[in-house]
Amino acid sequence: MMTGHFEAAEELSKILKSRRFDAVERWEKQRKKILELNPLVNAYITVFDKPLCRKDFRKRLLRGLTVAVKDVFHVSGYPTTAGSKLFANRVSSHTAPVVEKLLEAGAAVNGKTNLHEFAFGVSNINPHFGACKNPFDLARVSGGSSGGSAVAVALGMCDIGLGTDTAGSVRIPASFCGVVGFKPSIGSLSTEGVIPLSWSLDHVGTLSRSVWETAVAYAVMTNKVKEISKITPAKLERLKIGVPINYFLEYLSHDVREMFEQSLKKMEAKGAELVDIHVPDVEKAVRCRTVIGFAESSAYHLGVCKGNLAVYGEDVKQRIVAGLSITAVGYLTALRARKKLVAKFRQVFNQVDVLATPTTTITAHRIDEQEIDVDGKIINVRAATLRNTEPFNLYGVPSISIPMGFSSKGLPTGLQLVADFGEDFKLLGIAYGVEKLFKTSS
Amino acid sequence: MEKAVEKLLRIAGIEYRDVKNRFDDSAWKNIEILEELLEVVEDDDRPF
């Protein structure tokens, strides 16, 4: 564990209000950290010599707070590798609109972060740029595919991380690395200027050290800066929290189950009402997501690889081969089924305000592990990692992972909260309230 | 059919014989999923 290197979740509101805040001094401190720790954790693929920002950033809202950008977002004048050998020498000619919005608000981009190759995996073991390692145990994965941004945030190499999430790629590394990961409602953040994994499932999301920071970044990127003053921790009294009785709580490791049960007890003690919920057709939703995601990925890569699929890492290559076996009828049927599955799922919010699940069923696994023993059952680590996050990409509803404590091995665990489509700020307020509760009761 | 798959995979730059197991297993599984999802869409005649 990289003791002494973790950045405390200090609220950026205090920094932003401080007259003495010196962005350049903060950049230098963060750069020193990157130069010292990046060779150990592989969080960044490209570190900018000087953070990219507007000349008058000091007069703007974010005053030079730094953003680390997953290396699928185009930033004009810099390489965008997508974690692939194929794109290693490509330099972007334009900047993704979500990055532009952060720059316009006074943020400074300090580099491009490591990811699972083409964002098509959840371990962040990248054969071309090195495995992104978990700062709590360097023998373990960061989780992915936005692992570099999660590690950069956890270690204080930047203030905010940008990521993408197609099956859990923001929330999974957030859970494994002990930070906050937010995937908003589908379409609320533009995916323009972002190298795609799956056009209809990709979500842009954020990683940060607190829910408040997440909400600020989200407000900036959605042109809702006025909402920032309204972001307060929601009261948990009489809040209806749905606890799934099917699918999500199966195959939990002992530590994750214990932390989840403790979290529920804390919320209940604060006045929240826990409601048992049967989430309909989750298994069908998962298979539907797989068909759509794999078909779209393979359609994109068949064109972009230009006959060079052989240079891809073995795992990603195999997934693209699997996607190529999907028929047009299979894909179109999945798109039609999606509408029905989403409509049926959203009815759960007639009964509860939010759903709560563990973000991942296990804590970060070892880099060399393919399978894991969960209470006597042997489970593939990829399946265990994305099991609880991927349904919400099909449903397109906002989901957030917040730290809920540590396992007996000192590894972080994450609590996932999920709200109905479009209720992003409501979800952030609830997550803020839960985060405050966890901090005061830990 | 096999020739069509060979041609498809050559566009990607790989040989069918090298990935035959993965491709065939996935194709089979995808048909099973199709069967399951057809039950979801039932007789709904709307597009996606």
Side-chain angles (χ1 to χ4, degrees), chain A residues 45 71 80-90 115-118 126-130 301 304-305 308-313 316:
Chain A
I45 289 176
D71 209 10
T80 302
T81 67
S84 158
K85 200 174 165 183
L86 199 70
F87 287 3
N89 299 315
R90 288 193 182 188
L115 65 149
H116 203 108
E117 184 180 19
F118 282 116
N126 186 309
H128 313 298
F129 296 95
H301 284 285
V304 85
C305 82
N308 288 304
L309 192 62
V311 306
Y312 285 39
V316 174

Side-chain angles (χ1 to χ4, degrees), chain A residues 287 309 318 325 336 340, chain B residues 12 22 26 30 36 44 46:
Chain A
R287 288 192 278 275
L309 192 62
Q318 293 288 334
S325 76
R336 291 171 66 219
K340 292 228 168 194
Chain B
R22 179 70 194 237
S26 299
N30 289 327
E36 187 180 23
D44 190 339
R46 289 173 298 174

Side-chain angles (χ1 to χ4, degrees), chain A residues 76-374:
Chain A
S76 184
Y78 292 91
T80 302
T81 67
S84 158
K85 200 174 165 183
L86 199 70
F87 287 3
N89 299 315
R90 288 193 182 188
V91 175
S92 298
S93 59
H94 60 291
T95 300
V98 286
V99 177
E100 282 286 3
K101 289 209 168 126
L102 289 164
L103 290 169
E104 279 299 304
V109 176
N110 72 359
K112 310 285 290 291
T113 55
N114 198 355
L115 65 149
H116 203 108
E117 184 180 19
F118 282 116
F120 207 172
V122 292
S123 68
N124 226 123
I125 300 171
N126 186 309
H128 313 298
F129 296 95
C132 186
K133 294 176 185 170
N134 194 299
F136 289 86
D137 180 347
L138 295 176
R140 292 176 186 271
V141 298
S142 61
S145 62
S146 312
S149 291
V151 173
V153 166
L155 291 174
M157 297 165 160
C158 67
D159 296 305
I160 302 285
L162 265 191
T164 56
D165 189 317
T166 308
S169 286
V170 161
R171 292 159 288 157
I172 290 164
S175 175
F176 281 3
C177 296
V179 297
V180 175
F182 176 52
K183 175 199 86 67
S185 295
I186 193 158
S188 74
L189 292 178
S190 170
T191 53
E192 194 187 328
V194 183
I195 293 173
L197 173 58
S198 162
W199 298 288
S200 72
L201 294 165
D202 290 346
H203 296 62
V204 166
T206 57
L207 294 123
S208 71
R209 289 183 288 273
S210 78
V211 175
W212 189 86
E213 295 166 12
T214 298
V216 169
Y218 179 65
V220 164
M221 289 189 285
T222 50
N223 295 325
K224 289 176 183 161
V225 173
K226 284 182 182 169
E227 295 290 325
I228 293 173
S229 59
K230 298 179 203 161
I231 301 164
T232 51
K235 286 183 178 161
L236 303 187
E237 287 86 357
R238 289 189 292 280
L239 186 77
K240 288 188 174 178
I241 299 176
V243 183
I245 54 171
N246 63 313
Y247 182 84
F248 294 95
L249 306 187
E250 295 163 15
Y251 308 114
L252 296 187
S253 69
H254 174 77
D255 283 341
V256 170
R257 184 177 298 280
E258 199 164 289
M259 295 313 300
F260 182 63
E261 284 171 0
Q262 280 181 28
S263 299
L264 293 178
K265 277 181 192 159
K266 285 177 192 170
M267 293 188 284
E268 193 174 32
K270 203 69 185 168
E273 185 186 339
L274 304 182
V275 181
D276 285 346
I277 282 283
H278 176 84
V279 182
D281 294 334
V282 196
E283 289 86 353
K284 283 179 186 164
V286 165
R287 288 192 278 275
C288 185
R289 194 213 69 82
T290 303
V291 169
I292 295 170
F294 276 47
E296 292 183 358
S297 301
S298 298
Y300 171 69
H301 284 285
L302 188 62
V304 85
C305 82
K306 295 187 170 61
N308 288 304
L309 192 62
V311 306
Y312 285 39
E314 191 58 28
D315 62 334
V316 174
K317 184 172 80 184
Q318 293 288 334
R319 280 175 206 132
I320 290 166
V321 166
L324 289 172
S325 76
I326 296 165
T327 63
V329 172
Y331 174 65
L332 289 168
T333 302
L335 288 179
R336 291 171 66 219
R338 180 183 191 174
K339 273 179 81 170
K340 292 228 168 194
L341 293 166
V342 170
K344 202 168 175 186
F345 165 73
R346 288 183 62 194
Q347 288 176 13
V348 303
F349 295 109
N350 294 334
Q351 299 171 67
V352 295
D353 294 295
V354 286
L355 284 179
T357 78
T359 308
T360 52
T361 64
I362 55 173
T363 51
H365 60 85
R366 288 200 322 269
I367 291 170
D368 60 359
E369 268 176 323
Q370 298 293 318
E371 291 177 324
I372 196 162
D373 185 336
V374 176

Side-chain angles (χ1 to χ4, degrees), chain A residues 242 244 248-249 260 355-359 388 392 404 414-418:
Chain A
F248 294 95
L249 306 187
F260 182 63
L355 284 179
T357 78
T359 308
N388 280 4
F392 304 113
M404 67 171 175
L415 174 73
Q416 179 175 236
L417 296 168
V418 182

